[in-house]
Amino acid sequence: MNVSDIIIAGDTPGIEWRLPVFRFKGTKPGAPQAYIQAALHANELPGTALLHFLLEKLRQAESEGRILGDITVVPQANPIGAAQLHFGELQGRFDLGTRTNFNRDFPLIALGERPGLVENIDRHTAADRLKRHLLSMALGAELVLDLHCDDEGLQYAYIDEVFWPEAADLAAALDMQAVFLSDGESSAFEEAVAHAWKHEGAGERRTSLPRRLSVTVELRGTRDVYPELAHRDAEGLFRFLIGRGVIAADRQPLPAFGGVVAPLDNIEMIRAPEAGAILFHRGIGERVKEGELLATIIARPGMVDGAIDIRSPQDGLIVTRVSTRFARRHSDLMKIACAEASRAARKPGTLEA
Ligand SMILES: [Zn+2]
């Protein structure tokens, strides 16, 4: 294993960021290469905990000569966000200087343009340099995993439909309860990787990418950082890497994926019609029927008509829920995976990973 730091100069005098990168050299030519990062949203730590234990397992595998394909691991992908303590709260999701989501605005390039990502990198701001380094490393691999988490959530993932159903092995290995099939239309990290692969050849757009995978994994909620979960998830990811031939082992067949698979159009984003205190009646992991009471918003406390009930627009599985108990008008409350398309309009691409 080799550990090195990528140095990213800050945008003000006296600041520089260090990005530790762990690299394992594969021994088998042609074996798939893997790139895994966590905490691109710097306050999402389940993936960092997972990677701590995964690295332990990879070191062990390396000592036994079992690393077949190159593996690159970045356990804390966003030192810039991790430093943004703002009025006592970590703001790891948006760059404070530009208000840009750290998981958006990745360059949408063709694979052949990869060398250009880090050429003359001094022209770019620190946040853009970070994105370019991350994307450049990822595009050297065939299996790319970006580990995030939701606010309160089940284990689930955003997977571009181009990788489905081949990616059911990852969903099974990580014991996911749901998979959201996305249409790959935003500038999120995972979608920038897939974009480059789809545009590998000049002018054409590939609609099938066998043996490749670029995915945003949502490792439950921000507070789901525990030794047992991190160990179990590391074990699952290790089994996935074995299954894909990155690590040698006697292949134990993975169990079949038994969770819900829903295109993004079938996700009901439940929003608050007005501001107020949120009283949830239902929680993540629960199956609800159309018309069932999900939450009550106390919009005008003490008034006879001051409370507003929110009901489920259709049958489904509650996959995420916010942890705040104060809603602003139109703020998101829940994501429900449903069998039918939602009647609400949505923007293309990953919802808000
Ligand atoms: Zn995230």
Side-chain angles (χ1 to χ4, degrees), residues 40-41 44 93 103 147-150 216 218 352-353:
L40 177 58
H41 287 143
E44 299 178 2
R93 187 175 189 81
N103 193 20
L147 306 180
H148 287 248
C149 66
D150 214 290
T216 302
E218 301 282 351
E352 83 287 354

Side-chain angles (χ1 to χ4, degrees), residues 86-100:
H86 202 51
F87 302 113
E89 256 181 54
L90 181 59
Q91 172 51 264
R93 187 175 189 81
F94 294 91
D95 177 16
L96 286 184
T98 57
R99 304 182 188 179
T100 306

